[in-house]
Each structure stands twice: as structure tokens, then as C-alpha cells.
Amino acid sequence: MAERVAIILAAGVSKRMNTQLAKVLHEVCGRPMLAYVLDACREIGVSKIYVVVGFSGEHVKERFGEVDNIVWVEQDEQLGTAHAVMCCKEHLKDFDGETLILCGDGPLIRAETLKTLIEKHESGQSAATLATAVLDDPSGYGRIIRDAYGNMQGIVEDSDCTPEQLAVKEINPSNYLFNNKVLFEALEKVKPDNVKKEYYLTDAVSGIIGTGHKVEAITALSPEEAVGINSRAQLSEASKIMQRRIQRELMENGVTIVDPDNTWIDARAQIGQDTVIEPFTYIHGEVKIGRGCRIGPFAYLRHGTVLKNDVVLGVYTEVKNSILADGVRARHHSFIGDATVGENVNVGAGSITANFDGQNISRTNIGNNCYIGSGAVLIAPLELKDGSHINAGTVVSQESINESGGKAERDVSEG
Ligand code: UD1
Ligand code: MG
């Protein structure tokens, strides 16, 4: 089997996104879109991933840091996708293997599809193999042009298409596998003869066909996988598709999502079996939810939240950067931030942790089996012993506990 590397194109200035940020850093369900493309490459096992960066490239590198098998390649001027691949020449000119090329703005590509692409490429002994998709609305994408026998003749960009070519529904999602040597020979010959005056990678494909090498295009992508992100509208479309994937996987793992259309769950969230997510719940960031929990409706869980098992969070409950042990209940209108909450604690309606004093964020530690009455304000930093009982409507600070000799913590049981 040939050695395989991947090139991910991520240098483009995204005019259509109308943004100062590198396009590939825009988030899809909480992760930068490039992260998904990297995942797909890792899953199929490539030996190295060359990521071509340019516009706002420093930020991209900073976000992903130094990762083992990633080589960052600079493209100083964005002269087109062929030019971007050419920037890898010094690394790959002598590489005798296969080169997978993907775009950083195509985060929906699945590893299984890439596996199909590889199998087809190897069994067909082709110089290049492309995975294509058939879309009801192909506008904006490069079209796959085939002859009367179905053999691929080339790719024509949307802006260069004749009216007949515009009607073609088979498109190029930019997922290619090349014999590396053939690829770099063809790239040398690409000219910017097109409406945009760019060096097109798609022209390298036509060039390879022109020199008599075998090139195959297989319709391996579902329309959903082929969505490339060039605009904010496509960003939201891709996020919707990714969200459905995330939710489908959670449901297969035994999570009930009562109303998928009105629930938003971050790609990084983990949720255990038999947990029920009620409508209008928003889960953002790295959040871990255990088994048998009931979340929502209208709950907001933020980064760094860990819920153990059988936790119940109800309407308008926000939890951030907190660990809630088994059996915690906060059913109505609560904010729990930067807290550790012990087993079976009941947080009454409208009770909150006051975690920010205007300058610093502090933690609240609540022991096991505490009862926090309604409308309590727990001022951090605060430590409540196991079994503490906080009166409804109390404002509790560490000083108030110390002054009362701990009495404030047990108030209600006496009163
Ligand atoms: C490209 C394809 C088109 C395909 C579509 C799929 C070409 C010429 N066209 O068009 O056939 O249907 O993707 O989504 O390849 N980039 C660089 N350097 C550059 C230019 C682009 O790194 O100089 C990167 C971009 O950051 C992006 C990717 O290459 O991740 C594709 O560029 P983009 O401008 O989005 O091309 P499309 O018009 O979408
Ligand atoms: Mg694009």
C-alpha cells in the first residue's frame, strides 16, 4: 500500500464571508471548521497533514498549536487552489506516494467517504480519483464534465461554465486523491486562464486527463457532505447538518432528545445513556452529562460543566464551569457558576451563586445533601458543609457563616 499524506487548503481570503477572521476558524457547532477536516484525515490514517495557511494564518496556527503530524505551509499571496498546493512543493516534490487534497471549508466530509475514495483509487490504479456529489442546486460549485460514455473530461468552475455546463448537477466538493508525482507535474502547467485569473487545482485535474492518465470521478458524497462554506448562509446550513449528525449519534447512544429542531448541542458535549434533553436546551462547549439526567426545557449549559448521574436541571437554569454530583436538582431559574455541588443537593427556585465580584471570579463549594431555599444568593468564595440548610431569601457569604458560628448554614432546620 502506498504511503499517503494530506494537504488541506486553508489560506483563502474569504470575500463572501465578509470577515476579518480566517474562514477555517469560523465555528460549526462549537468547533472551528478546520478541526473536522483534520479529524477526517486522522481517522483514515495519513502520515502527515500539510495545512496551507495565509490570510490570518497566525491565528489558525495559534488556535491549533503545534500538533505532531501537522506541517504548516505558508501561502503568502492567495493566487488560487493550484498555487496553494504548489506551496507544498518543497516538502513533497520527491514524495513517492498518494496525496489527498481537501479544503478547510468543507467540514462535513466523513472519514468513511474518504475510505471509499482511497479504495476506488487503489483498485482502479488511477492517477487521480475524485469524490463527487449530485446536488439539486449545484450553483457556485465546479461542475464535473463527462463524455457520452460517462468518462470524466474535466471540471469547470461555476464562473467559467457555459449555460449547458451550468445545468450539470454533479459537482466537485474538492476531495481528491492523487498520485503525488503526476499531481506536481500537472501543477507546473496550470495557467490562470479564467474569469478570476487564479491558478485552479481543477485545471490540474483536466491536465492529468489531457496527458492520458486515468482519472476517475465517483459519486461518493451525499449532498449533505458536499456543502462547502463560502458564506454565512452556508455556515449556518453546514451547522444545521452537523447538528443533526451530533444529535443522531447521541440518540443512537441512548440519549432522548425530545425536540431535535429546538435543541442545540456542541460537538464536544458528551451525554450518558437515558438522559433526556427537553426542548430549547442549549449546550455549549466541553460539557459532560452523565446517565439518567433530565435537562431543560430552556436550560443553558456552558463550557466546563460536568453533571454526574440523575441530575435534574429545569427551566432557565444556567450552569457554567461547575461539577454537579449525583442527584443534584435545580429545577427553576438558577445560575450555578464555578461551583462544586455535592450529592443530592436541592437548589431552590431563583437561587444563584454570585461568582464574580467585579474583579475576580471565585468558587463555591457546596457539600453533600444541602438544601438551598428559594431565592438564596451564595456569595463566592464560599464553602458550605455537608447537610447545610440555607433559608429562602438569604444572602450567604463566608463572613456571615463565620460570624454566626456556622449557624447560618443550618438556619432553616431550626426555624
Ligand atoms: C473550490 C473549487 C470548486 C469546488 C469548491 C468546493 C477550485 C478552483 N475550485 O471552489 O471546484 O466546487 O471548491 O467547495 O479549486 N484556498 C487557498 N489558497 C488560495 C485559494 C483558496 O488556500 O489561493 C483555499 C480556501 O481557503 C478554501 C479552499 O482553498 O479552503 C477552496 O477555495 P475557495 O475560494 O473556497 O474555492 P471555491 O470557490 O469554493
Ligand atoms: Mg469554497
Side-chain angles (χ1 to χ4, degrees), residues 16 23 103 105 228-230:
R16 288 165 282 181
K23 176 162 69 173
C103 286
D105 68 352
I229 300 176
N230 294 317

Side-chain angles (χ1 to χ4, degrees), residues 9 11-12 16 23 75 78 80-81 105 142 157 172 174 200 230:
L9 306 182
R16 288 165 282 181
K23 176 162 69 173
Q75 185 192 23
Q78 281 71 55
T81 45
D105 68 352
E157 288 307 293
N172 167 35
S174 290
Y200 284 167
N230 294 317

Side-chain angles (χ1 to χ4, degrees), residues 54-72:
F55 176 75
S56 193
E58 282 311 307
H59 295 115
V60 181
K61 287 196 266 183
E62 202 179 290
R63 178 77 190 245
F64 288 89
E66 292 302 320
V67 189
D68 269 359
N69 62 346
I70 296 184
V71 179
W72 299 105

Side-chain angles (χ1 to χ4, degrees), residues 201-223:
L201 177 57
T202 45
D203 287 348
V205 176
S206 308
I208 294 172
I209 297 169
T211 48
H213 285 97
K214 182 173 175 190
V215 176
E216 262 199 294
I218 55 163
T219 317
L221 276 80
S222 65

Side-chain angles (χ1 to χ4, degrees), residues 95-161:
F95 173 59
D96 188 17
E98 292 171 359
T99 304
L100 176 73
I101 300 184
L102 305 173
C103 286
D105 68 352
L108 293 159
I109 183 67
R110 290 176 312 124
E112 294 84 83
T113 306
L114 296 179
K115 281 180 195 154
T116 308
L117 175 67
I118 293 165
E119 278 161 25
K120 199 71 191 171
H121 183 78
E122 304 220 310
S123 65
Q125 300 194 327
S126 302
T129 310
L130 283 69
T132 70
V134 175
L135 303 187
D136 287 339
D137 175 12
S139 54
Y141 295 95
R143 307 293 204 282
I144 305 293
I145 308 301
R146 294 182 187 263
D147 66 15
Y149 305 99
N151 297 316
M152 193 183 154
Q153 292 179 304
I155 307 167
V156 181
E157 288 307 293
D158 189 78
S159 48
D160 298 307
C161 277

Side-chain angles (χ1 to χ4, degrees), residues 189-339:
K189 296 184 196 130
V190 171
K191 301 262 175 342
D193 295 338
N194 50 63
V195 172
K196 292 190 182 163
K197 302 274 173 278
E198 287 185 3
Y199 294 86
Y200 284 167
L201 177 57
T202 45
D203 287 348
V205 176
S206 308
I208 294 172
I209 297 169
T211 48
H213 285 97
K214 182 173 175 190
V215 176
E216 262 199 294
I218 55 163
T219 317
L221 276 80
S222 65
E224 286 205 335
E225 269 183 287
V227 174
I229 300 176
N230 294 317
S231 65
R232 306 268 178 174
Q234 284 171 326
L235 179 67
S236 73
E237 193 188 334
S239 298
K240 268 258 155 67
I241 294 168
M242 190 66 82
Q243 183 58 214
R244 278 202 294 271
R245 261 190 216 176
I246 292 166
Q247 294 195 12
R248 206 175 303 139
E249 195 182 323
L250 287 167
M251 291 191 268
E252 279 162 16
N253 292 341
V255 177
T256 294
I257 299 171
V258 175
D259 183 0
D261 289 338
N262 291 300
T263 303
W264 197 258
I265 303 176
D266 196 292
R268 294 163 294 177
Q270 296 173 32
I271 308 182
Q273 196 183 31
D274 290 326
T275 282
V276 177
I277 309 290
E278 301 276 8
F280 304 103
T281 293
Y282 184 42
I283 299 175
H284 184 258
E286 278 172 34
V287 171
K288 263 192 188 161
I289 301 175
R291 280 175 279 110
C293 298
R294 184 165 281 269
I295 311 298
F298 299 99
Y300 179 27
L301 305 190
R302 291 165 55 196
H303 195 67
T305 292
V306 177
L307 309 182
K308 298 290 166 75
N309 302 323
D310 305 312
V311 171
V312 180
L313 300 180
V315 279
Y316 300 111
T317 299
E318 173 179 348
V319 183
K320 171 226 158 191
N321 192 29
S322 294
I323 302 170
L324 276 55
D326 290 356
V328 170
R329 296 171 309 283
R331 292 184 198 271
H332 339 262
H333 302 263
S334 278
F335 170 63
I336 302 173
D338 303 284

